[in-house]
Amino acid sequence: KYRHHLVGIENADSVAVDPYKMFRIHNPRSIVLFKDPLSPSNLQVSPPLDMNAKWSTGIVSPYCGKDFELLKVWSLFKCLGAIGLAKMVNERIELTAKIQEEINMSENLLLLNNVEMTSCTFLYTPIKKVANRFAEPDLEKLSRVSKFLRDEILKQGTFSLYTSSTRSLESDILPPEYDQLTVMRILVRNQRTTIESIREILSQIVGIGHRYI
């Protein structure tokens, strides 16, 4: 179904995969797949922290050691198989699309990106959505609102709302190279997340935002 995303992959010497984001594994466990099994022997890194590792992939030591972490990834693949992994990916893509649709339907939520899976980034804004860019003073206020909403949602104890900066985000409503905006993000990782629970948290965000403003 999504094979078109892999057009040209046969020309690559290696491919990096992040099961942490793709397959709902809770901690980062990136892996590199090599076309040539001997390629890893040519890796050069400096300085490695794990001096006893057969192949060191950088200065960051993964949790519990590489062997143990890769066993978790292997166990996931072995347990679910190709059909199970495909079902998981399809469900995540479909849920992400529904989340973005819910955000776009709200008068007070502004979607900042358009992704197929993983992370939906958005803002609460008390004004109707506009096509023009926000001025920097307005963005500073919206950043404070995002932080307030995050803290209030956490206090309620039902949901966890994640916020981040816009250093790697491109959007038509942001001034060029503006990286100080704090935005809200919904990460589609928990397999028990449903569109009903997403609607509930979005409703809470809008309700709290109205009271705050």
Side-chain angles (χ1 to χ4, degrees):
K1 186 176 181 179
Y2 303 105
R3 191 173 296 275
H4 60 281
H5 288 303
L6 300 178
V7 172
I9 194 173
E10 67 277 2
N11 299 319
D13 295 324
S14 60
V15 177
V17 181
D18 191 351
Y20 165 57
K21 294 181 178 179
M22 296 174 62
F23 299 126
R24 292 173 172 154
I25 294 180
H26 293 293
N27 290 325
R29 295 184 182 91
S30 297
I31 56 179
V32 182
L33 306 177
F34 293 95
K35 179 186 292 185
D36 181 357
L38 298 179
S39 295
S41 62
N42 297 321
L43 284 178
Q44 294 182 357
V45 293
S46 177
L49 294 182
D50 188 355
M51 302 300 293
N52 295 321
K54 184 177 181 181
W55 295 319
S56 178
T57 56
I59 62 173
V60 179
S61 296
Y63 306 95
C64 304
K66 297 182 182 66
D67 293 342
F68 183 71
E69 297 303 325
L70 288 175
L71 176 61
K72 294 180 181 180
V73 177
W74 178 85
S75 299
L76 174 71
F77 291 177
K78 192 72 173 177
C79 177
L80 295 181
I83 294 177
L85 292 172
K87 180 175 181 293
M88 179 187 294
V89 170
N90 283 330
E91 290 174 349
R92 289 194 59 189
I93 291 175
E94 292 170 2
L95 180 57
T96 300
K98 291 178 182 178
I99 293 172
Q100 293 179 135
E101 190 176 314
E102 291 290 329
I103 294 173
N104 283 327
M105 287 192 301
S106 172
E107 287 294 322
N108 297 105
L109 299 177
L110 183 61
L111 186 67
L112 298 178
N113 64 348
N114 186 15
V115 296
E116 284 190 326
M117 62 189 300
T118 299
S119 175
C120 302
T121 303
F122 63 102
L123 285 170
Y124 170 87
T125 171
I127 60 176
K128 287 189 176 181
K129 299 174 185 178
V130 293
N132 298 327
R133 286 191 172 101
F134 283 95
E136 290 195 18
D138 294 328
L139 294 174
E140 292 173 1
K141 294 176 184 177
L142 292 176
S143 286
R144 292 196 293 270
V145 172
S146 294
K147 294 174 183 177
F148 174 82
L149 290 170
R150 174 200 61 200
D151 294 341
E152 289 300 305
I153 292 291
L154 288 175
K155 284 180 185 177
Q156 293 185 5
T158 304
F159 298 103
S160 176
L161 183 63
Y162 180 66
T163 58
S164 65
S165 67
T166 55
R167 288 185 177 88
S168 60
L169 180 68
E170 294 183 5
S171 176
D172 292 337
I173 67 127
L174 301 179
E177 299 182 1
Y178 186 81
D179 62 357
Q180 303 301 316
L181 178 64
T182 298
V183 298
M184 293 174 284
R185 295 172 64 192
I186 293 180
L187 308 178
V188 187
R189 290 181 186 157
N190 190 331
Q191 63 181 356
R192 293 184 293 179
T193 299
T194 63
I195 192 60
E196 287 75 24
S197 60
I198 294 298
R199 288 178 182 140
E200 185 177 349
I201 188 173
L202 293 179
S203 176
Q204 287 187 21
I205 289 171
V206 172
I208 296 171
H210 286 346
R211 294 194 296 272
Y212 177 68
I213 298 299

